[in-house]
Amino acid sequence: MNAEKFTNEEYWEEIKRKIQRESNVSDITYQLWFENLEFQELSGNTFYIRTEKEDERALGYLNNKFKLYFETVIGEELGQIITVQFLLNNADQTPVQVEPDTRIDNDTLNPDYTFESFVVGKNNMMAHQVSVAVAEDPGKTWNPLFIYGGSGLGKTHLMHSIGHFILKKDPSKKVIYVTSDDFTNDVIESLRSGNSVASMSKLREKYRTVDVLMIDDIQSIIGKEATQDEFFNTFNALHAAGKQIIISSDKNFKEFKTLDERYISRFAWGMVVDITPPDYETRSAILKNFAEKINLKISEEIIDYVASNMKSNVRELEGSLKKIQGYIKLFNIKEPTLDDAKEALKDYIYPLDSNTITFDRIVDVVCQECNASKEAIMSNKRNAEIVYPRHIIMYLAYDMLGITYQQIAHNLHRSDHTTVISGCKKIEADINSNKSGKNTREKVESIKKILSGS
């Protein structure tokens, strides 16, 4: 059997996506359990797959839910019957047989998603504080809790964190996390069974006897009448019993134009919090935490490059570090440079052309427009021909990239960020000056147009 093709990243991705379709799981489930699975080796008829998880419960879940699908699809690709063996990230090279954990079912929480691993910033501080309060006193503090925000910003992470906290405090609690797709599929399955008393009892036993119900991406049930009705009745039953309900969505429920008023009124009973894209400082902290988690040693310069360019969500930030890690492993690079990071992310940070605004590009454009050399800008020279463009760089970096004075000082090889503050204020004062500011104002606007590609 030829297993070398499974080392190809694109081919392995296709296999996992095929298994996703075969097992009929959502994209969220794929991201939690499939995305980071790596082909380890093929030994005899055993196909070893390594997961990034370090908790043995994860093996039980993978074995119980997906092993058969992996064996079927991969076996077809190899043309032979094989046995799939999942390995933990912290396991020795020699595989150890782990018996499936029959206690783990579809509502399993991701062991990596805890409050301890959640990076708090201005963008998510309120959501984090409210989530902790709900976890400490479920069903009483804020019920329901409605968390909204764009994809990959940490809504799911917070929901799982609440679940872990509650179960750690009281393991007897019944906590269930599902996506709206999972909930919909359960309703459909019940209807396919003829909507019998037995099938409906099974559905309601699953969802109405819990202490905490968490439903992710609730917007997906809008327009599905049977699912909406079942959710409405489940919500009422749980809320009346003092059980905690946690819901996430990509936007505030008030923006759902076709949502029935009865849902809106119930969502408004509790607390509504949002998560916005992380700022530079939070992005940097997320990158440093994740780099430490995956044992990736990279410089502050690389952290700055990624944090300055990847601004939309946490998933993209973590994905960029995985790309860098894969690149340096492929080429056996011991100490990756900024150029290595740029090459690794050339198809990930986009577009890498004249329209991409980074700190390096600001320096290059300012130097070109002010007839200064980069070496002089980075030096300790303090003559006017160098100080002026250096101040413009400081101003544009703070204005266009939103990075801190400290980070700008670091990038310019300055030990004191107060010089950056004074430099930014000097350019701002020049721009706002009616008498002497015209030249500076025109110069800055001209450079901004070049940087923006307009």
Side-chain angles (χ1 to χ4, degrees):
M1 293 183 289
N2 180 16
E4 291 182 3
K5 55 187 178 182
F6 290 93
T7 61
N8 181 285
E9 189 174 320
E10 291 183 1
Y11 178 78
W12 180 233
E13 177 73 14
E14 289 178 6
I15 294 298
K16 290 189 290 183
R17 285 295 182 183
K18 185 176 180 180
I19 295 168
Q20 178 192 11
R21 292 190 296 271
E22 291 288 332
S23 57
N24 192 31
V25 299
S26 66
D27 285 339
I28 292 177
T29 301
Y30 179 90
Q31 290 159 4
L32 290 176
W33 297 101
F34 286 21
E35 191 169 57
N36 298 306
L37 293 176
E38 295 181 356
F39 165 62
Q40 183 77 25
E41 66 174 316
L42 177 65
S43 178
N45 292 327
T46 304
F47 191 96
Y48 296 107
I49 301 173
R50 187 170 293 275
T51 173
E52 68 168 7
K53 314 292 185 187
E54 297 183 354
D55 191 323
E56 287 193 0
R57 292 177 299 173
L59 290 186
Y61 182 71
L62 288 168
N63 278 304
N64 275 340
K65 295 298 177 183
F66 305 120
K67 181 177 180 180
L68 181 60
Y69 294 106
F70 275 84
E71 288 176 342
T72 301
V73 173
I74 294 171
E76 289 175 352
E77 292 294 319
L78 292 171
Q80 186 168 338
I81 296 175
I82 54 99
T83 298
V84 163
Q85 176 69 58
F86 295 104
L87 305 174
L88 291 175
N89 188 44
N90 57 356
D92 294 333
Q93 184 71 19
T94 304
V96 177
Q97 183 69 36
V98 178
E99 291 298 321
D101 187 344
T102 56
R103 295 170 299 168
I104 295 177
D105 52 28
N106 197 42
D107 60 334
T108 301
L109 301 173
N110 186 335
D112 293 336
Y113 286 178
T114 64
F115 284 128
E116 289 76 16
S117 63
F118 188 83
V119 177
V120 181
K122 293 178 181 178
N123 66 305
N124 58 26
M125 187 176 295
M126 182 65 173
H128 174 264
Q129 291 174 344
V130 170
S131 295
V132 172
V134 167
E136 289 177 337
D137 198 10
K140 298 178 182 178
T141 305
W142 285 298
N143 195 22
L145 171 59
F146 191 101
I147 308 173
Y148 73 93
S151 175
L153 294 180
K155 303 186 300 295
T156 302
H157 192 144
L158 278 180
M159 295 174 83
H160 285 231
S161 298
I162 293 171
H164 282 302
F165 188 98
I166 292 171
L167 289 173
K168 186 175 181 179
K169 187 176 179 180
D170 185 356
S172 68
K173 293 287 187 182
K174 187 175 181 182
V175 176
I176 182 170
Y177 163 88
V178 291
T179 68
S180 60
D181 288 341
D182 294 331
F183 186 80
T184 299
N185 289 337
D186 283 345
V187 174
I188 292 172
E189 187 61 34
S190 175
L191 294 174
R192 286 180 60 190
S193 301
N195 204 17
S196 65
V197 174
S199 63
M200 292 307 295
S201 295
K202 182 179 179 182
L203 178 69
R204 288 162 186 172
E205 173 72 20
K206 177 176 181 179
Y207 289 106
R208 301 190 191 182
T209 61
V210 300
D211 296 293
V212 182
L213 173 62
M214 299 184 282
I215 300 185
D216 218 343
D217 291 326
I218 197 68
Q219 72 276 0
S220 295
I221 74 168
I222 295 176
K224 301 170 183 175
E225 292 185 8
T227 304
Q228 284 187 181
D229 288 342
E230 186 59 35
F231 170 73
F232 180 78
N233 293 326
T234 298
F235 183 103
N236 287 340
L238 291 175
H239 197 276
K243 306 302 182 182
Q244 182 67 49
I245 304 161
I246 304 168
I247 304 161
S248 85
S249 173
D250 61 351
K251 56 186 176 183
N252 194 318
F253 62 84
K254 295 179 181 178
E255 298 178 45
F256 295 145
K257 296 180 180 179
T258 59
L259 187 62
D260 193 294
E261 179 61 34
R262 59 180 179 166
Y263 296 100
I264 294 177
S265 64
R266 279 158 177 77
F267 292 158
W269 286 350
M271 173 63 76
V272 180
V273 290
D274 70 327
I275 303 179
T276 58
D279 57 17
Y280 174 84
E281 291 81 3
T282 307
R283 295 196 299 270
S284 297
I286 290 169
L287 288 167
K288 289 176 182 178
N289 278 16
F290 193 68
E292 182 177 345
K293 177 184 174 182
I294 63 176
N295 197 28
L296 175 63
K297 293 179 172 58
I298 51 177
S299 65
E300 287 285 342
E301 191 176 31
I302 294 176
I303 292 289
D304 170 61
Y305 173 71
V306 177
S308 297
N309 285 279
M310 308 297 294
K311 300 181 181 181
S312 60
N313 62 56
V314 177
R315 195 173 298 134
E316 285 191 352
L317 289 170
E318 295 181 347
S320 65
L321 292 192
K322 292 176 185 176
K323 288 284 185 181
I324 294 173
Q325 186 180 53
Y327 180 86
I328 64 178
K329 281 183 179 180
L330 180 63
F331 294 100
N332 196 28
I333 299 170
K334 302 299 181 184
E335 296 183 6
T337 64
L338 178 59
D339 287 338
D340 292 326
K342 288 181 177 180
E343 181 63 24
L345 300 176
K346 66 181 181 181
D347 296 322
Y348 202 60
I349 289 179
Y350 54 90
L352 282 183
D353 55 24
S354 59
N355 292 335
T356 301
I357 302 175
T358 64
F359 187 86
D360 284 345
R361 187 153 186 277
I362 289 175
V363 173
D364 290 341
V365 173
V366 172
C367 287
Q368 180 180 341
E369 295 300 303
C370 296
N371 295 316
S373 71
K374 187 173 181 178
E375 291 73 23
I377 291 293
M378 298 296 177
S379 72
N380 292 321
K381 293 182 179 180
R382 300 185 59 81
N383 51 306
E385 293 80 6
I386 299 303
V387 171
Y388 181 66
R390 186 185 290 148
H391 285 174
I392 291 179
I393 290 170
M394 294 173 179
Y395 174 82
L396 289 173
Y398 185 76
D399 181 59
M400 300 184 77
L401 299 180
I403 60 178
T404 63
Y405 295 127
Q406 290 89 340
Q407 189 61 50
I408 295 170
H410 173 79
N411 291 349
L412 288 172
H413 303 163
R414 295 289 182 276
S415 59
D416 186 2
H417 72 277
T418 58
T419 59
V420 178
I421 297 174
S422 61
C424 290
K425 289 183 176 179
K426 177 66 171 62
I427 297 300
E428 186 176 5
D430 284 351
I431 290 173
N432 294 328
S433 172
N434 292 326
K435 294 181 179 180
S436 59
K438 182 179 179 181
N439 290 339
T440 298
R441 186 161 53 247
E442 290 179 350
K443 177 68 73 176
V444 170
E445 289 303 317
S446 174
I447 292 171
K448 279 188 173 183
K449 287 182 179 180
I450 294 171
L451 289 167
S452 301
S454 58

